[in-house]
Amino acid sequence: MTRVLVLNGPNLGRLGVREPEVYGSATLADLAAAVDGWSRELGLEAETRQTDDESEIVGWLHEAVDSRAHVVLNPAAFTHYSYALRDAAAQVTTSGLLLVEVHLSNPAAREEFRHTSVVAAVSTGTVAGFGLDSYRLALGAVAGRLAHNA
Ligand code: DQA
């Protein structure tokens, strides 16, 4: 079965209590359960992870390349400045795997510093602004692209 790593960066472990007016009331566990259900429906095998640690998420991107897993990535604040994450994300897409950047909120409609994504240019595509549904749309995009290419 096609594997997808659903990787979440810093502070996303605080979903549910962190600025619910921006990020909603669902917790990371709710997100993982929703991802599980959506991916099953789409014929994907997804695994949701979260870390506050840049080196850990870089390592997970290396793992995606080595184990041939596609990636749905919410880099959180790393989106805006982490060249290490960008370089790791580039290894995913240049190895022929899909990487969809996702955001719960729409960073383009928020503070100026959030308007820059250093990851976007090395991603297959981006989904932002739909809350938890951003992840459903991203998984659907992965399944759709793979079906199209098959
Ligand atoms: C976020 C947007 C980022 O700007 C922010 O730093 C996050 C979450 C989102 O999902 O909307 O932590 O990636």
Side-chain angles (χ1 to χ4, degrees):
M1 194 178 290
T2 303
R3 287 182 57 243
V4 181
L5 293 182
V6 179
L7 306 180
N8 296 280
N11 297 302
L12 292 171
R14 303 289 297 159
L15 285 179
V17 289
R18 172 194 183 199
E19 300 176 76
E21 65 289 357
V22 177
Y23 298 113
S25 55
T27 63
L28 183 67
D30 296 332
L31 167 62
V35 161
D36 217 45
W38 292 324
S39 52
R40 272 174 220 277
E41 285 168 17
L42 291 163
L44 304 170
E45 186 185 320
E47 190 186 332
T48 301
R49 302 180 189 173
Q50 188 274 330
T51 182
D52 294 335
D53 182 336
E54 188 178 27
S55 74
E56 188 163 34
I57 203 161
V58 165
W60 288 343
L61 291 167
H62 296 167
E63 179 191 330
V65 173
D66 293 343
S67 67
R68 303 300 297 162
H70 300 283
V71 176
V72 169
L73 174 65
N74 186 341
F78 292 149
T79 307
H80 313 302
Y81 67 89
S82 173
Y83 296 125
L85 203 66
R86 178 205 160 96
D87 286 350
Q91 293 172 57
V92 175
T93 47
T94 59
S95 73
L97 294 159
L98 302 169
L99 183 147
V100 183
E101 178 185 348
V102 295
H103 299 282
L104 295 152
S105 67
N106 178 3
R110 301 180 61 198
E111 302 96 316
E112 191 80 31
F113 77 91
R114 297 187 203 275
H115 298 182
T116 299
S117 168
V118 300
V119 175
V122 296
S123 299
T124 311
T126 302
V127 182
F130 297 97
L132 281 199
D133 245 7
S134 291
Y135 290 76
R136 183 179 62 77
L137 295 165
L139 290 165
V142 169
R145 174 64 70 88
L146 294 175
H148 182 79
N149 290 348

